[in-house]
């Protein structure tokens, strides 16, 4: 089975721009979660989607949004980028919702200049 | 609010020595705890979960509700155990500790 796939792997943006990151979960997995990883704050939960519905959201500003499609693929969007948004964004999928047994992708590394 | 504390940023041991990676948590209710590991140039992966009470790659972790701890232990460290280890708490949204880098020296 193919693992969780995230695209793009690396990207550079400037302040004020917006970015969209994509995640394809493991086949059969219906839950997708997103995490932000930074050296200062570590791994922080962004949101969880299941059956195209956002089930849970972390403590991030409204500039961070996401969605899930009927094939379980998910995208997250960050608008009006700030320097502090530079991070590794990790997507994880799982068979069921509300589980801590997650399968992570390799991440999308975003640099905001 | 739930919190996970991993007090050591770096733990360095020699091959064959015992390893204990510390994890303390703060949570009101019945916790679900996990250990995740990230080997060099690999993705973050689940190592073990407290409800299964299993041993994976020689590692075990026991939930101690009285001490609110979930320490990861291995009796004899191997060089291939060198990695970043994260303790995590929760179900709906995982709260991760800051991680401990384990270095096993030959």
């Amino acid at each position: 089975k193919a693992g969780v796939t995230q695209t793009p792997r690396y990207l550079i943006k400037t302040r004020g721009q917006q970015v969209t990151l994509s995640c394809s979960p493991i086949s059969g997995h219906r839950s997708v979660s997103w995490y932000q990883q930074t050296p200062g704050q570590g791994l922080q939960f962004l949101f969880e989607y299941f059956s195209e519905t956002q089930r849970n959201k972390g403590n991030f500003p409204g500039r961070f949004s996401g969605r899930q499609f009927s094939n379980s693929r998910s995208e997250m969007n960050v608008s009006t980028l700030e320097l502090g948004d530079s991070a590794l964004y990790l997507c994880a999928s799982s068979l069921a919702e509300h589980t801590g047994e997650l399968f992570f992708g390799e991440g999308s590394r975003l640099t905001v200049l | 609010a739930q919190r996970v504390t991993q007090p050591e940023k770096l733990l360095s041991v020699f091959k064959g020595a015992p390893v204990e990676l510390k994890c303390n948590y703060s949570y009101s209710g019945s916790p679900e705890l996990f250990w995740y590991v990230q080997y060099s140039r690999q993705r973050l992966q689940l190592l073990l979960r407290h409800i299964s009470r299993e041993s994976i790659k020689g590692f075990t972790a026991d939930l101690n509700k009285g001490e609110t701890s979930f320490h990861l232990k291995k009796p004899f460290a191997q060089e291939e155990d060198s990695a970043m280890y994260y303790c995590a708490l929760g179900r709906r949204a995982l709260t991760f500790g800051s991680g401990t880098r384990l270095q096993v020296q030959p």
Side-chain angles (χ1 to χ4, degrees), chain A residues 7-73:
Chain A
T7 57
R9 292 290 316 283
Y10 303 91
L11 64 167
I12 300 173
K13 294 285 187 178
T14 56
R15 280 188 305 173
Q17 287 187 310
Q18 66 100 25
V19 66
T20 299
L21 308 177
S22 180
C23 172
S24 293
I26 292 171
S27 177
H29 285 194
R30 296 171 61 194
S31 178
V32 173
S33 304
W34 289 88
Y35 288 80
Q36 182 196 63
Q37 186 175 29
T38 59
Q41 299 297 318
L43 281 153
Q44 292 185 288
F45 171 76
L46 279 158
F47 16 67
E48 178 190 13
Y49 288 89
F50 184 83
S51 292
E52 303 177 65
T53 303
Q54 186 179 92
R55 300 298 199 178
N56 205 6
K57 190 176 193 300
N59 189 24
F60 280 83
R63 300 185 297 105
F64 291 80
S65 63
R67 58 179 176 167
Q68 187 181 34
F69 302 96
S70 58
N71 61 359
S72 295
R73 192 176 68 84

Side-chain angles (χ1 to χ4, degrees), chain A residues 4 35 100-102 104, chain B residues 36 43 49 86 91-92 94:
Chain A
V4 176
Y35 288 80
E101 298 183 36
L102 304 179
F104 282 88
Chain B
Y36 278 81
R43 61 188 69 193
R49 50 197 171 140
Y86 294 94
R91 244 184 341 145
R92 298 178 67 91
L94 287 183

Side-chain angles (χ1 to χ4, degrees), chain A residues 3-5 33 35 37 42-45 48 55-56 88 90 97-106, chain B residues 9 32 34 36 38 41-46 49 51 84 86 88 90-98:
Chain A
V4 176
T5 305
S33 304
Y35 288 80
Q37 186 175 29
L43 281 153
Q44 292 185 288
F45 171 76
E48 178 190 13
R55 300 298 199 178
N56 205 6
L88 180 67
L90 292 171
E97 62 175 322
H98 306 332
T99 175
E101 298 183 36
L102 304 179
F103 294 81
F104 282 88
E106 293 179 290
Chain B
K9 284 194 172 181
E32 288 199 34
F34 306 85
Y36 278 81
Q38 188 165 28
R41 289 182 291 279
Q42 293 188 28
R43 61 188 69 193
L44 192 61
Q45 59 186 281
L46 178 65
R49 50 197 171 140
I51 56 172
M84 194 74 180
Y86 294 94
R91 244 184 341 145
R92 298 178 67 91
L94 287 183
T95 298
F96 283 87
S98 54

Side-chain angles (χ1 to χ4, degrees), chain A residues 73-89:
Chain A
R73 192 176 68 84
S74 177
E75 288 181 348
M76 68 162 281
N77 183 278
V78 188
S79 62
T80 321
L81 284 166
E82 300 176 359
L83 296 178
D85 297 333
S86 296
L88 180 67
Y89 290 89

Side-chain angles (χ1 to χ4, degrees), chain B residues 1 5-6 12 22 29 33 42 56-57 77 84 88 94 102 105-106:
Chain B
T5 303
Q6 293 181 251
S12 185
K22 291 184 167 47
L33 286 145
Q42 293 188 28
I56 304 291
K57 299 184 180 183
M84 194 74 180
L94 287 183
L102 175 64
Q105 300 183 55

